Amino acid sequence: MLANHPSSAFTTTPLRLGSPEYVVRNSGDSRENGVFAARAFDRSSLVAKIFGSIVHERSLHTLQIGDGIHLYDPEFTGLFLHSCAPNVRVDMQRFEVHAVLDIESGEPLCMDYSSTEDVLHRQFPCLCGSRACRGWITGYREPINQEGVRYLQSRMAKAPLRGVV
């Protein structure tokens, strides 16, 4: 099944990064975790080639390659932050990351998790703050769970009415 897939050539050892193009933070405080650009990247430019271990179950730091096939990379792409208005796109066919917006030095690399995952390891509230924010993040084929429904309902109840005088 995977004989012709590019992933069949992957090593089982995740990439160890020492690149001056990125700063990877993986501390105990998840708000500070992520991959940050250490230089500017122009829109449409190749940001990185990605590597990792092929696994057959989803977990916190995996990206879906295909049905039941995931790339485990807890040191780079598995640490990309989520945004509903991402600045990178992860191509899981070519195993590349491309800038979809101009990225300044110091900015986190943010992808939309639902762009690669049919079902997430864990759904969660989104705090990206973008105008396109969906509020609750799921995979592209999964419905919002009950926790998400309650979260969105409470968020709507707290939201101020717009356009009402």
Side-chain angles (χ1 to χ4, degrees), residues 15-30:
L15 177 67
R16 306 283 181 222
L17 289 175
S19 173
E21 296 182 326
Y22 319 102
V23 173
V24 179
R25 294 186 199 135
N26 191 8
S27 66
D29 185 349
S30 64

Side-chain angles (χ1 to χ4, degrees), residues 142-164:
E142 71 181 314
I144 296 173
N145 62 23
Q146 286 302 314
E147 181 185 3
V149 169
R150 287 189 301 274
Y151 175 82
L152 292 174
Q153 287 172 341
S154 72
R155 189 169 146 174
M156 292 300 286
K158 294 176 188 175
L161 295 176
R162 294 179 189 210
V164 176

